[in-house]
């Protein structure tokens, strides 16, 4: 209960003379908004709130609270207190029907309702302005109040319409959230507290984002839209899962809110509006990483993603690999027909792939793409032969991945093991001597790799690095191991391989010279009777 005071006087102070009190009251009315005392302002706001709800004659106090709402000097919470008070006022007025126009209302009644609606719009704009402020706490408060107002307006002003969601306050809220001034924490709070929890909020969020993304193409909008869309994790799989609504559901039984297909259509429109933007390489990669678990499950027509994935493949590098990952998901789980998938994958096997920093990711995905035992042996042989050829020019850290990967593929596809034992020199037809593998062929089904041999692996058995030579010899031995775990080899580099060598326990010390030479680059003295080093014999260092 607010404190009762007379003419703004504090209890315990002497009463002023009548003329002084009259002068003081006029002055206080002038400076009421400019210099409220923070300790007493909450009580003052409660008094104004009670007066407004007591009688229509006090509706002008709404304007006073609106002026307090616009005051924000960064040190006081006057605007927050005024915002909370106005929220209670307007919620009570809407619940009481004071903002609803009736057909039989008189002219004065309609004027009052119109005035209250205009003040409500001013209040909404003030909250949206607070949402753009620098303080995250103020943004959080404004967000909570705005969403509460959306619920009250939908319940009492437009109970059977969608206008309050898309064309009114909620649409303005979404537009404000994707502006650059709003903090990332506030966007995350909106998604976590409302979008993830309530099906109707998620439905209309997708609808508003689709509309905004199709009109505006600014960098801030694209990034903010991506942030909000990528944060939405809850994807309904069945019609029965759509049951939690923030606002009372509509009366129409065939309304889109009750349909799983309608929900997915709205999400599909939102994502497509974003994918049509001029995306930077980093944003494109972020979207591709979300393709399989955040984007594709929403799509009713996965064919709509084809253009984006094809354009992403043409970017090159790791972006091409991620695009193939999205395509493979659509082929495997959505029954997408894409005959050129393995041809595009084969085209990524160039001289740079084993030197790339994305080598580990590439082999993880490659192992997934070729995991099926129903793939044609000709296709598998092309990949095996191509990587064996590239390993001749690869660093040791890349070779130690290729050899176990080839071992696993040969184990899964026994018809390709002829490539290990074939010896071209035994062929009596001299015209067929040499390697029949067609390295320049782009189609993996036409490379003749299955008629070739893995002589490259035999070459690696004489590699200068002992680890490479040792692991290459496993291809020539009996296949007793079921499969290698590629994760044990993917993260190797020059540094890790050198550390592994230096940390080994030496069982047998290496042989070294028992006598340290005193002169290597110069000749010995003539009377020393010692033979000059080979370097001195071959070169003159004087």
């Amino acid at each position: 209960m607010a404190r009762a005071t007379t003419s703004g006087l504090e209890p315990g102070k002497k009463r002023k003379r009548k003329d002084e009190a009259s002068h003081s009251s006029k002055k206080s009315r002038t400076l009421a908004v400019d210099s409220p005392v923070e300790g007493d302002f909450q009580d003052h706001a409660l008094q104004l709130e009670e007066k407004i709800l007591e009688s229509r004659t006090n509706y002008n106090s709404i304007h006073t609270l609106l002026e307090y709402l616009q005051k924000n000097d960064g040190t006081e919470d006057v605007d927050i207190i005024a915002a909370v008070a106005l929220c209670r006022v307007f919620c009570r007025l809407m619940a009481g029907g004071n903002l609803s126009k009736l057909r039989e209302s008189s002219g004065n009644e309609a004027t009052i309702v119109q005035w209250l609606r205009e003040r409500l719009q001013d209040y909404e704009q003030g909250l949206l302005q607070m949402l753009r402020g620098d303080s995250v706490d103020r943004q959080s408060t404004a967000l909570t109040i705005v969403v509460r107002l959306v619920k009250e307006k939908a319940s009492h002003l437009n109970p059977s319409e969608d206008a309050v969601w898309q064309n009114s306050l909620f649409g303005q809220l979404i537009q404000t959230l994707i502006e650059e001034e709003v903090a990332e924490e506030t966007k995350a709070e909106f998604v976590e507290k409302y979008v993830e929890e309530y099906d109707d909020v998620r439905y209309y969020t997708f609808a508003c984002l689709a509309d905004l993304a199709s009109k505006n193409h600014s960098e801030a909008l694209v990034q903010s839209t991506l942030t909000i869309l990528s944060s939405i994790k809850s994807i309904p799989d069945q019609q029965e899962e759509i049951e939690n609504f923030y606002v009372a559901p509509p009366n129409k039984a065939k309304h889109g809110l009750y349909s799983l297909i309608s929900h997915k259509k709205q999400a599909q429109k939102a994502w497509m509006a974003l994918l049509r933007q001029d995306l930077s390489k980093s944003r494109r990669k972020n979207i591709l990483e979300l393709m399989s678990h955040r984007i594709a499950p929403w799509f009713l027509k996965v064919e709509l993603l084809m253009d984006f994935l094809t354009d992403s493949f043409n970017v090159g590098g790791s972006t091409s690999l991620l695009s193939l990952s999205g395509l493979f998901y659509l082929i495997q789980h959505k029954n997408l027909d894409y005959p050129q998938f393995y041809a595009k994958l084969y085209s990524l096997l160039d001289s740079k792939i084993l030197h790339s920093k994305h080598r580990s990711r590439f082999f993880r995905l490659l192992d997934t793409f070729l995991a099926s035992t129903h793939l044609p042996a000709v296709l598998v042989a092309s990949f095996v032969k191509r990587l064996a050829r590239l390993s001749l020019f690869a660093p040791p850290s890349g070779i130690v991945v290729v050899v176990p990967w080839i071992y696993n593929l040969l184990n899964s596809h026994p018809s390709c093991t002829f490539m290990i034992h074939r010896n071209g020199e035994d062929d009596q037809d001299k015209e067929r001597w040499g390697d029949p593998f067609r390295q320049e062929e782009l189609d993996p089904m036409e490379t003749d790799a299955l008629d070739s041999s893995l002589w490259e692996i035999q070459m690696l058995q004489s590699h200068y690095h002992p680890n490479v030579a040792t692991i290459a010899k496993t291809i020539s031995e009996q296949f007793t191991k079921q499969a290698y775990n590629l994760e044990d080899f993917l993260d190797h580099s020059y540094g890790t391989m050198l550390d592994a060598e230096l940390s080994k326990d030496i069982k047998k010390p290496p042989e070294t010279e028992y006598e340290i030479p005193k002169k290597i680059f110069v000749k010995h003295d003539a009377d020393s009777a010692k033979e000059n080093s080979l370097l001195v014999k071959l070169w003159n260092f004087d």
Side-chain angles (χ1 to χ4, degrees), residues 360-379:
S360 299
R361 173 183 289 181
F362 174 80
F363 272 96
R364 287 188 180 96
L365 293 175
L366 188 64
D367 194 43
T368 303
F369 298 157
L370 298 175
S372 175
T373 56
H374 300 288
L375 292 174
V378 176
L379 178 70

Side-chain angles (χ1 to χ4, degrees), residues 116-240:
L116 287 175
R117 289 197 171 195
E118 290 175 355
R119 299 293 76 77
L120 178 58
Q121 291 179 2
D122 294 340
Y123 177 47
E124 293 171 356
Q125 294 304 314
L127 291 174
L128 295 176
Q129 188 61 37
M130 186 187 294
L131 194 58
R132 300 185 184 97
D134 297 332
S135 173
V136 177
D137 293 335
R138 279 180 164 79
Q139 289 184 9
S140 178
T141 302
L143 174 65
T144 303
I145 296 175
V146 169
V147 179
R148 172 68 186 278
L149 285 178
V150 170
K151 182 176 183 178
E152 296 297 327
K153 291 182 69 174
S155 301
H156 301 296
L157 297 186
N158 300 293
S160 61
E161 299 179 5
D162 296 339
V164 69
W165 288 100
Q166 292 182 257
N167 303 325
S168 185
L169 182 57
F170 188 77
Q172 296 178 35
L173 170 63
I174 299 298
Q175 185 174 2
T176 304
L177 284 175
I178 62 178
E179 290 180 356
E180 192 171 358
E181 293 83 356
V182 180
E184 296 296 324
E185 295 86 347
T186 305
K187 299 173 186 176
E189 180 184 355
F190 171 71
V191 173
E192 182 179 355
K193 290 177 62 176
Y194 303 105
V195 179
E196 290 283 87
E197 291 293 329
Y198 303 104
D199 296 317
D200 51 352
V201 177
R202 184 184 62 235
Y203 179 89
Y204 288 109
T205 298
F206 279 131
C208 293
L209 288 176
D211 183 60
L212 292 170
S214 62
K215 296 177 181 178
N216 197 331
H217 301 82
S218 65
E219 287 290 324
L221 181 139
V222 172
Q223 181 58 46
S224 298
T225 304
L226 176 58
T227 300
I228 294 177
L229 287 177
S230 61
S231 302
I232 301 176
K233 304 176 183 177
S234 59
I235 304 175
D237 294 326
Q238 299 178 357
Q239 189 82 24
E240 293 75 14

Side-chain angles (χ1 to χ4, degrees), residues 237-468:
D237 294 326
Q238 299 178 357
Q239 189 82 24
E240 293 75 14
E241 297 180 20
I242 303 175
E243 57 182 5
N244 193 15
F245 299 104
Y246 184 67
V247 178
N251 298 326
K252 296 180 181 179
K254 295 184 179 181
H255 195 281
L257 280 176
Y258 298 113
S259 172
L260 176 62
I261 295 178
S262 295
H263 279 258
K264 291 196 171 186
K265 280 184 178 179
Q266 295 295 341
Q268 181 175 287
K269 289 179 181 178
W271 276 112
M272 285 305 301
L274 179 64
L275 296 181
R276 292 191 182 102
Q277 304 297 325
D278 186 13
L279 300 171
S280 63
K281 187 175 181 180
S282 59
R283 292 197 185 105
R284 187 177 290 271
K285 291 173 68 174
N286 291 338
I287 293 174
L288 289 171
E289 290 176 348
L290 300 170
M291 184 64 65
S292 60
H293 57 285
R294 297 280 177 85
I295 302 177
W298 284 112
F299 274 66
L300 298 171
K301 297 180 179 180
V302 293
E303 298 84 2
L304 296 174
L305 295 170
M306 290 295 299
D307 290 339
F308 174 77
L309 292 172
T310 304
D311 293 341
S312 299
F313 178 83
N314 296 330
V315 173
S318 60
T319 308
S320 300
L321 186 61
L322 289 173
S323 67
L324 288 182
S325 177
L327 283 171
F328 186 74
Y329 171 82
L330 298 181
I331 293 171
Q332 191 175 32
H333 297 280
K334 301 294 183 178
N335 298 322
L336 179 70
D337 185 19
Y338 192 72
Q340 298 300 317
F341 175 79
Y342 285 101
K344 288 186 175 294
L345 178 62
Y346 186 74
S347 66
L348 295 179
L349 300 179
D350 55 16
S351 58
K352 300 178 182 178
I353 192 64
L354 294 179
H355 298 266
S356 172
K357 62 180 180 180
H358 306 291
R359 181 180 61 219
S360 299
R361 173 183 289 181
F362 174 80
F363 272 96
R364 287 188 180 96
L365 293 175
L366 188 64
D367 194 43
T368 303
F369 298 157
L370 298 175
S372 175
T373 56
H374 300 288
L375 292 174
V378 176
L379 178 70
V380 175
S382 295
F383 280 91
V384 169
K385 180 63 177 181
R386 180 71 171 168
L387 277 173
R389 181 68 59 86
L390 293 175
S391 65
L392 294 176
F393 312 97
S397 56
I399 302 175
V400 295
V401 182
V402 172
V403 176
W405 181 81
I406 291 177
Y407 183 98
N408 292 345
L409 271 188
L410 294 177
N411 229 352
S412 303
H413 300 270
S415 57
C416 295
T417 54
F418 291 104
M419 301 172 67
I420 302 175
H421 310 290
R422 183 175 290 113
N423 188 352
E425 294 180 357
D426 295 338
D427 199 330
Q428 299 298 324
D429 188 358
K430 295 185 178 181
E431 294 182 357
R432 297 184 57 185
W433 281 8
D435 195 340
F437 175 62
R438 298 159 61 185
Q439 185 173 347
E440 304 300 327
E441 177 60 47
L442 300 179
D443 187 354
M445 301 295 292
E446 303 292 336
T447 60
D448 296 333
L450 196 59
D451 298 329
S452 180
S453 64
L454 293 178
W455 58 266
E456 296 89 351
I457 302 299
Q458 187 173 3
M459 295 285 292
L460 294 177
Q461 294 175 1
S462 302
H463 197 274
Y464 73 89
H465 199 289
N467 289 354
V468 174

Side-chain angles (χ1 to χ4, degrees), residues 73-90:
D73 56 7
T75 59
E76 300 175 349
D77 293 334
V78 172
D79 54 344
I80 294 181
I81 296 173
V84 175
L86 283 169
C87 178
R88 291 194 292 263
V89 167
F90 281 112

